[in-house]
Amino acid sequence: MTEFFHDVPAPVAFAGTDAGDGLAYRVYDPNRVVAGKTMAEHLRIAVCYWHSFNWPGSDVFGAGTFDRPWLQAGVDPMQAAFDKQDAAFEFFTKLGTPYYCFHDVDMAPEGATAAESGHNLHVLVERAAQKQAETGVKLLWGTANVFSHPRYAAGAATNPDPDVFARAAVQVRNMMDATHFLGGENYVLWGGREGYETLLNTRLRREADQLARFLTMVAEYKRKIGFTGTLLLEPKPQEPTKHQYDYDSATVMGFLERYDLVGEYFVNIEVNHATLGGHSFHHEIATALDLGVFGSVDANRGDPQNGWDTDQFPNSVEEMSLAVYEILRHGGFTTGGFNFDTKLRRQSLDRDDLFHGHIGGIDSLARSLLVAAAMLEDGSIERFRDQRYAGWGTPRGERILAGGVDLATLADETIASGVDPQPVSGRQEWLENEVNRVIWSTPT
Ligand code: XUL
Ligand code: CO
């Protein structure tokens, strides 16, 4: 087997902030213990197969720019898939990250029939199992791509044609089997085409019922095969559809409640999906945690100047620290992790650019973890939050919340007692300064 990333010595090592400008981790030291666990255990980092190995660097205005020999025209599809898999596992090993994620079609070429596609997947998955055993790299999650093929243009589960729903069932069944076989810790469903382009041709209720039926079948199949991983839905507000049904975490929760699926599905929150939805990443994380549906994260970032999913490598410690703080405060990941759903810029042509992107993102997460742990240890934010709501812990507050008083009684009592609440400062600027104080004072 020839090395693809032959210029990169294996593996990338931790060298601290004094490291020069080469390939090294400056903060991420997998074995370093922070708040009771190693950095590797906290962050559970995964590399995605699709953007890193299956995307040629094309955009809507131009062809692929990247050096990915297995994506060239005229290469035998199975040989190309083997070469791609070799390069992917070489990358995971040299980067030193514990997990990866993939869609069926990232790894195996589609055949002329559903049966042929299933066979190709089977061959590649058997080979992946061997590679996992050889390298120790594990599968964070698997997923089926039921959005790229033209048959899914009008949706997979939400398609007006039940035959398309059935073809999606083939792919999802096969990928659940593959994920289970590979010891995957989660299974993701991103409904890229489960939405609409125009309401003029769409029956909303009909499509929601179909989606719920599909998700129920998936949850039943999980139990049938004994898959113990977590089922994750990945919210996104739009792109490629004008409107996607899994808009954000709160919308997903409403859907799960409506169709009696609470407890079956959790969410995989992507930073750039949150910001496309008009939320901060911090908002989506805090919301999912409070709703009890938090599962995993697709780490990346958008570009504040444009309105699409740029999937850039995360590099803002300020932004990440607040989200990691919420995750840490709630006890951290269980089966989830930080999957790098990130892609290089189209001009990043060198093979080692893929390393630089991931290293920078991973170091930013590691630094955010240090800051988040220091914020928790410092306690000033939680102290302020506790104090701000302290009234609800008094007998008066508890009586109201427990239903011990009705509206009219409360109103009459309030008039009689002459209660006259005074506005209290929310202290936002002080809190923001507190966050910066911790960021600036936390040693690497
Ligand atoms: C698309 C996206 C997907 C999912 C998996 O925006 O994030 O790659 O993560 O299908
Ligand atoms: Co994603």
Side-chain angles (χ1 to χ4, degrees), residues 50-51 141 190 234 268 270 273 298 300 309 311 339 341:
W50 49 103
H51 291 320
W141 49 262
W190 172 60
E234 186 174 322
N268 181 38
E270 181 162 325
H273 296 183
D298 271 6
N300 59 22
D309 197 9
D311 290 332
N339 167 47
D341 196 347

Side-chain angles (χ1 to χ4, degrees), residues 103-371:
H103 302 82
D104 46 0
V105 303
D106 304 332
M107 195 178 267
E110 291 198 74
T113 61
E116 208 182 293
S117 298
H119 172 74
N120 291 349
L121 181 66
H122 186 75
V123 172
L124 268 299
V125 165
E126 292 267 334
R127 204 170 178 272
Q130 224 175 317
K131 297 235 159 231
Q132 287 186 203
E134 280 161 23
T135 60
V137 174
K138 295 171 285 182
L139 181 63
L140 186 66
W141 49 262
T143 188
N145 177 330
V146 289
F147 46 85
S148 291
H149 192 282
R151 82 172 66 90
Y152 299 119
T158 61
N159 201 289
D161 179 356
D163 288 349
V164 178
F165 182 113
R167 276 302 290 265
V170 176
Q171 279 186 251
V172 171
R173 191 273 312 265
N174 289 350
M175 260 317 280
M176 288 178 76
D177 287 347
T179 303
H180 186 37
F181 173 70
L182 292 172
E185 299 191 23
N186 307 270
Y187 184 83
V188 165
L189 295 108
W190 172 60
R193 306 270 178 197
E194 314 294 18
Y196 62 80
E197 297 297 337
T198 173
L199 287 169
L200 294 174
N201 64 13
T202 303
R203 295 217 155 119
L204 287 176
R205 181 59 193 245
R206 148 98 271 127
E207 296 203 359
D209 287 352
Q210 289 173 212
L211 182 57
R213 185 71 207 119
F214 197 89
L215 296 183
T216 302
M217 289 163 85
V218 166
E220 286 166 359
Y221 190 66
K222 169 189 154 159
R223 270 187 287 281
K224 183 172 174 193
I225 61 174
F227 177 60
T228 53
T230 309
L231 296 176
L232 299 169
L233 298 174
E234 186 174 322
K236 188 174 183 181
Q238 71 269 320
E239 198 208 22
T241 53
K242 167 192 158 57
H243 175 91
Q244 190 175 314
Y245 297 135
D246 293 339
Y247 195 96
D248 58 8
S249 296
T251 309
V252 167
M253 187 61 184
F255 188 87
L256 297 178
E257 279 173 344
R258 179 172 156 204
Y259 287 102
D260 202 18
L261 287 165
V262 175
E264 299 281 19
Y265 286 89
F266 294 80
V267 289
N268 181 38
I269 297 175
E270 181 162 325
V271 183
N272 205 170
H273 296 183
T275 51
L276 283 179
H279 302 307
S280 64
F281 178 48
H282 189 194
H283 165 95
E284 274 294 88
I285 293 289
T287 300
L289 285 164
D290 273 5
L291 291 172
V293 287
F294 176 71
S296 199
V297 171
D298 271 6
N300 59 22
R301 77 173 204 268
D303 182 313
Q305 267 82 56
N306 61 27
W308 66 91
D309 197 9
T310 61
D311 290 332
Q312 287 169 253
F313 286 88
N315 62 3
S316 164
V317 172
E318 280 79 359
E319 192 181 310
M320 277 289 170
S321 298
L322 296 176
V324 177
Y325 172 74
E326 301 298 343
I327 295 171
L328 204 58
R329 197 166 72 78
H330 284 79
F333 289 117
T334 50
T335 59
F338 279 108
N339 167 47
F340 276 76
D341 196 347
T342 43
K343 55 177 186 264
L344 292 168
R345 296 307 88 192
R346 194 163 171 265
Q347 298 176 57
S348 299
L349 301 178
D350 295 343
R351 291 184 184 180
D352 70 359
D353 285 325
L354 199 56
F355 283 87
H356 285 295
H358 283 88
I359 288 169
I362 292 167
D363 271 340
S364 300
L365 280 181
R367 176 86 187 125
S368 302
L369 173 66
L370 293 177
V371 169

Side-chain angles (χ1 to χ4, degrees), residues 12-50:
V12 177
F14 169 72
T17 44
D18 294 339
D21 58 5
L23 293 174
Y25 290 111
R26 284 147 189 90
V27 189
Y28 180 66
D29 179 359
N31 298 318
R32 176 170 171 188
V33 175
V34 182
K37 283 197 283 192
T38 65
M39 281 189 163
E41 287 165 341
H42 274 292
L43 299 175
R44 298 169 56 80
I45 286 163
V47 172
C48 85
Y49 219 92
W50 49 103

